[in-house]
Amino acid sequence: MDIKEQGALLMRAIDKSVSTFHCVKYCEEQFLEEGFLPLNLTDSWKLEPGKGYFVEVFGSTLIGFRIPKDYKPSMPFHIAASHTDWPTLKIKPNPESTVGEYAKLNVEVYGGPIYSTWLDRPLSIAGRVAIKGEDYKNPEIRLVDFKRPVVTIPNLAIHFNREVNKGVEINAQKDLMPLLSNHFKSEKFFLEFLANELEVNSEDILTYDLNLYNMDSCALVGMEGDMLSAPHLDNTTSVQACVSGLIMGENTDCISVAALFDNEEIGSKTKQGADSVVLSQILEKIILSLGGTRETYLNSILGGLMLSADVAHATHPNHPEIFDITNKIYMGDGVAIKMHYGQRYATDAKSVGIIESICKEKDIPYVTFLNRSDLRGGSTLGSISSSILTMNTVDIGVAILAMHSARELMAIKDQEALTRIIAEIL
Ligand SMILES: [Zn+2]
């Protein structure tokens, strides 16, 4: 697959991934199309060498894997991991709030968005809804996507906010409430609006996980049209590269795994996050299903290799001084190999050595990235996951600008480099 195709795949994934649940659904569709077989988390699995499978975990995490034809006990796991969630605003239960005729929604901030970038934009709503089911244990879970701009968060005019361009506090409770209507009709206006969209009775809606998303989607910008401005490049770039990498990968001496976790943006410590035992449990189920023992499972882990894929910070054109003096990366440089001796990134010399060797041999462009010594950068699920799964781990990703803005920016060609390195490992 070339640069254009990888770019088109990424843009499609961004448009489809309007919530973590939609992201997982779209990845499942891609696996199904390629002949991967769906599994249930709680079933007893009867896996066969030479086949690919995927298993969904609580709707927002997805693990895909492929067992080589000539599988042998103790073969290592090769894992590419990324995250399905991104910073957004989530709609609280009982969200209806009014001022005069205005109908507003009460929301909670999820993760660390740059608040100001969510203002004055056409926004839509997506996620999942629990609807009264056959019995109390089995509510019907339905995905919903309004697919049209239904809310917006208006800024305060500069005339009431003269210092706005010098930086003004944006309060999460007061300033981020999206406006749904300027002539509200009933007390439960949102619940009724949602029920109408789903074509169900509002009394049958139990609860929901709904988030706002940015309606003005992908745009190629720049003189050559080779920079992609789009929502949640963090971390749809890596999710799509993991999915494509597993589909394209041809490694026959490992069990290849794509692990797409929810909840990285809020610290990963959830039942389906990277800071949980969910991946290790699924890997153990794989080995047991293939007739392995606890020991062969541990051997497959201990000899394994993980690529933790998440975005990196490209050098900012207006603030180059914020970046390290000898380990900068610019958009278009290729894959960032992220290092931090304090282990906010999991990378060490041996694991980097493995990845650099592959990049050199296969002619995949890459740059090592470190933060300035006097700055603490972000962390990734790589260091979290590798403290649970004992294996060589490397943090990699595409370099972007404006991380956690409602729109981020990358060089489209870096997607191909990221996908290629993941496909080489898987
Ligand atoms: Zn991320």
Side-chain angles (χ1 to χ4, degrees), residues 70-262:
D70 51 353
Y71 166 76
K72 288 178 196 70
S74 299
M75 258 185 182
F77 286 112
H78 281 190
I79 303 170
S82 56
H83 65 88
T84 59
D85 62 327
W86 31 273
T88 179
L89 302 171
K90 299 218 176 196
I91 301 174
K92 291 180 180 175
N94 310 306
E96 293 89 357
S97 169
T98 59
V99 171
E101 287 282 292
Y102 295 139
K104 305 188 293 178
L105 299 179
N106 192 5
V107 291
E108 181 182 305
V109 175
Y110 177 88
I114 302 175
Y115 293 171
S116 61
T117 63
W118 283 83
L119 304 179
D120 305 323
R121 285 182 183 280
L123 303 169
S124 190
I125 297 169
R128 67 176 178 181
V129 183
I131 302 165
K132 221 185 261 172
E134 295 279 290
D135 61 81
Y136 77 94
K137 272 187 185 165
N138 295 297
E140 183 198 342
I141 302 295
R142 218 189 285 175
L143 296 198
V144 62
D145 176 8
F146 281 79
K147 288 186 180 166
R148 59 190 189 279
V150 286
V151 285
T152 189
I153 308 168
N155 235 311
L156 191 58
I158 196 166
H159 313 81
F160 305 115
N161 204 0
R162 297 274 179 198
E163 299 297 298
V164 65
N165 292 327
K166 291 183 183 159
V168 164
E169 188 191 342
I170 296 174
N171 182 282
Q173 185 62 65
K174 187 170 176 55
D175 298 310
L176 294 179
M177 290 177 72
L179 182 65
L180 183 67
S181 172
N182 60 353
H183 44 80
F184 93 96
K185 296 219 166 52
S186 69
E187 292 291 306
K188 289 283 168 196
F189 58 81
F190 179 69
L191 201 64
E192 283 161 17
F193 181 53
L194 180 62
N196 201 35
E197 188 71 17
L198 290 164
E199 297 178 342
V200 298
N201 287 325
S202 59
E203 308 86 64
D204 289 341
I205 294 179
L206 301 168
T207 188
Y208 48 72
D209 296 312
L210 294 173
N211 61 266
L212 305 192
Y213 72 90
N214 194 350
M215 277 303 292
D216 47 14
S217 191
C218 303
L220 289 168
V221 301
M223 207 153 70
E224 282 87 29
D226 57 353
M227 292 183 288
L228 174 61
S229 165
H232 49 86
L233 291 173
D234 178 3
N235 196 13
T236 314
T237 54
S238 307
V239 168
Q240 187 54 46
C242 288
V243 171
S244 295
L246 182 59
I247 289 169
M248 291 158 58
E250 294 173 336
N251 225 326
T252 53
D253 52 9
C254 62
I255 299 178
S256 306
V257 181
L260 317 172
F261 293 106
D262 192 7

Side-chain angles (χ1 to χ4, degrees), residues 83 234-235 264-265 310-311 404:
H83 65 88
D234 178 3
N235 196 13
E264 192 274 346
E265 299 292 354
D310 203 344
V311 287
H404 289 198

